[in-house]
Amino acid sequence: MCILSPKLVECGRHLNIDILSYAEVDTIAGEPGNFRVSVRNKARYVDPGECTGCGDCAEACPVEVPNHCENYLNTRKVVYRPFPQAFPNAFTIEKHGVANCQAACPLEQKAQGYVALLRAGRYEDAGRTVRLDNPFPAICGRACHHPCMEACQRGELDEPLGIPHLKRFLADYETDKGLSLIPEKEPARENKVAVVGAGPSGLSCAWFLSLRGYQVTVFDEREHPGGMMRYGIPSYRLPRNVVGREIDTILEGGVELQTGRSWGRDFTLDDLKKMGFEAAYLACGAWRGMKSGAEGEDHPRVMDGLDYLERVNSGREVPTAEDVVIVGGGNVAIDCARSALRRGARRVSIYYRRSREEMPARDEEIEDAISEGVEIFYCASPKRFTERSGTLYLETYVMRLCAPDESGRRKPEPIPGVGFEVAGDLFILAIGQKPAVPEEGLEFERWGTVKVNKRMETSRPGVFAGGDLVLGPATLVEAIAHGKRAAASIHAFLCGETYTEEERSPAPLRIDWGEKLANRIRMKTLPLEERKAGFEEVEIGYSEEEAKEEAARCLSCGGCSECMQCVVACQRNAINHRQNETLQEIEVGAILFAAGAEAFDPVEWYRELGYRRFPNVVTSLDFERILNASGPFQGKVVRPSDGNVPRRIGFVQCVGSRDKERGKGYCSSVC
């Protein structure tokens, strides 16, 4: 019995022959006349019974990869048919796993997809791909800590791709052209959902729920929405008009916002239930600054870091100071230092209890602060504040670093009897923050964060929580990701479904060591003196030419990027990106094994001949494909490097065929 596809019986094929294409034999058991064959049907992601072979999906696909079906003589799309006469006449989508940038992103942002579309000049399609996963592309393009770049396979060759810079370019392009690239909403539902907190996590949850058709109301205690995006991140990193623009997009999509409404003061969770809300998402952040425990830290000239940033970013007055001392090593500490310079401080210094290697702030932020004149001192921790003759002093411990603690960083401990004093006009403590919310029957973790299960549901049914309220002081993209997950979990809760998260593996290392080396394009910035003069945005952004040039560096390590352009293009709805491979048991009486032979590989044994290093060095089998009318060049004899007709061709005969030491020791005699 031959193993073929049942779908092809309808196409006039032999009724006794079924073809199982894109399948492999997994195991064989039994005896002659009674075999049991286990066949692994690999995921094609395209239904061959629905696919007409029209090629619209391949035309829409932006990802080009080396064409292994033509032995890498040319390139093809990741949604492909091996050759025009391939049987069955259906396309397949090639996936190597999740692209490393996507796997590292808490949002699972499909960066490879929008980068490939940008490279092709399809900016609007790229922008839509971004917004499938992220309601804040312009904000994340400026303020994300970009774990995608740390995982980028391009870094194995030269430097990681500037992924956030490309996202920013697309978001700014959308604004400059007056476009609205928001995804299509599902039909309206009757269910009402309350979101407490209009920061990145709460607004993200509201956005994704509104796209599913839910009626969402967001409550926030402050005058303006945005949370840490508006009040925590300085405008030289994240301009207020960018924040406002992204939030307006969410509100214009149908989300209701009520500001000046504080949980615990103006309403309770029971009140929300009485108002008809069937679920609630708590995302009111971690706004209470932590104390150092140092004696005298309640002095009027000792401020909390978040309080200082909130005053600066909302345009309120801050104490006038020429000598500002900051304690801490995170992004809040760096933001306070750079803001203090812009508020007129002549000297700004940071004291951190660990080394530079353990400092949690982003490296580029630390370097920018140093270049602007901020001094950083390491292995120093506050002991006490004292005032003498009108001058405030900080007495410090000098720390030594011991074995790593639960954070993975080396634990600091004071060196007995060693310390020094620091004088300053204003001291800012930026050593961490924690939530401060009503209990309302909720369970809390050790550090005051709200306890949730895997579905992000609290101890109160129908009440979910996320962002800094659950994570503690985390990153922007982690907060947004929590909002996205919470929206999916709330949707499952309201629909009576089980919420599960799909686990997918990152793509294996697939570096092409013949790739031309090219470092990342550096983003232009304001001159140093102009930066310190005010709060104007420091980074200027990529031009169109720079963005396309940087996008061209992407290695497309994941194969298919799931940008979903093929789904949009397919009129037969034949594409299913969530398809999984299956095992099929078949009973047969006999097995005919005709798997062919493996061609000799010159790469393994004859590297000196330059095969695969030089595109115009080909094997005899490659040359046969070049001559074939259905081959990569439609039967024209051309050079793979540039598509031009060769003037001279040299043949190197018997490579490996008679080499018993390195080759197979076998001559085909038909060359």
Side-chain angles (χ1 to χ4, degrees), residues 256-276:
E256 181 185 351
L257 173 67
Q258 295 187 21
T259 56
R261 299 266 284 160
S262 177
W263 171 30
R265 183 190 69 194
D266 302 307
F267 62 87
T268 65
L269 296 180
D270 290 334
D271 291 335
L272 294 178
K273 192 171 184 179
K274 292 175 184 177
M275 285 187 267

Side-chain angles (χ1 to χ4, degrees), residues 523-638:
M523 186 178 288
K524 296 181 178 67
T525 60
L526 287 179
L528 189 59
E529 290 307 313
E530 289 186 32
R531 293 189 213 172
K532 296 163 62 175
F535 283 81
E536 187 176 351
E537 186 172 15
V538 170
E539 294 184 326
I540 295 173
Y542 279 158
S543 66
E544 182 176 351
E545 293 74 19
E546 289 171 331
K548 292 187 73 171
E549 184 177 345
E550 181 63 16
R553 297 177 62 242
C554 179
L555 300 175
S556 300
C557 65
C560 171
S561 64
E562 296 186 356
C563 67
M564 302 302 168
Q565 296 300 306
C566 56
V567 176
V568 175
C570 182
Q571 299 182 37
R572 299 276 297 187
N573 297 320
I575 297 171
N576 176 13
H577 281 279
R578 292 295 173 261
Q579 190 181 77
N580 295 310
E581 66 176 31
T582 59
L583 283 176
Q584 180 178 355
E585 297 289 336
I586 300 174
E587 294 184 359
V588 297
I591 298 172
L592 179 64
F593 186 79
E598 183 179 343
F600 176 77
D601 185 6
V603 172
E604 182 179 359
W605 299 105
Y606 289 90
R607 297 181 184 273
E608 65 271 18
L609 295 181
Y611 183 60
R612 291 280 169 81
R613 287 193 297 120
F614 305 121
N616 293 335
V617 176
V618 301
T619 67
S620 57
L621 288 179
D622 294 340
F623 192 59
E624 284 188 29
R625 287 303 300 160
I626 291 174
L627 295 174
N628 196 299
S630 66
F633 310 119
Q634 294 76 50
K636 298 177 182 178
V637 180
V638 298

Side-chain angles (χ1 to χ4, degrees), residues 171-229:
D172 291 350
Y173 177 88
E174 180 181 350
T175 299
D176 293 342
K177 300 297 182 182
L179 303 173
S180 179
L181 304 178
I182 61 174
E184 186 177 349
K185 294 181 65 171
E186 296 180 14
R189 304 171 189 263
E190 296 297 324
N191 313 78
K192 293 173 59 179
V193 180
V195 174
V196 181
S201 193
L203 290 173
S204 295
C205 182
W207 162 262
F208 287 107
L209 284 171
S210 69
L211 290 179
R212 290 184 180 270
Y214 292 99
Q215 300 178 49
V216 186
T217 302
V218 180
F219 301 89
D220 195 89
E221 66 178 358
R222 286 173 173 76
E223 182 182 358
H224 299 288
M228 291 291 181
M229 297 184 295

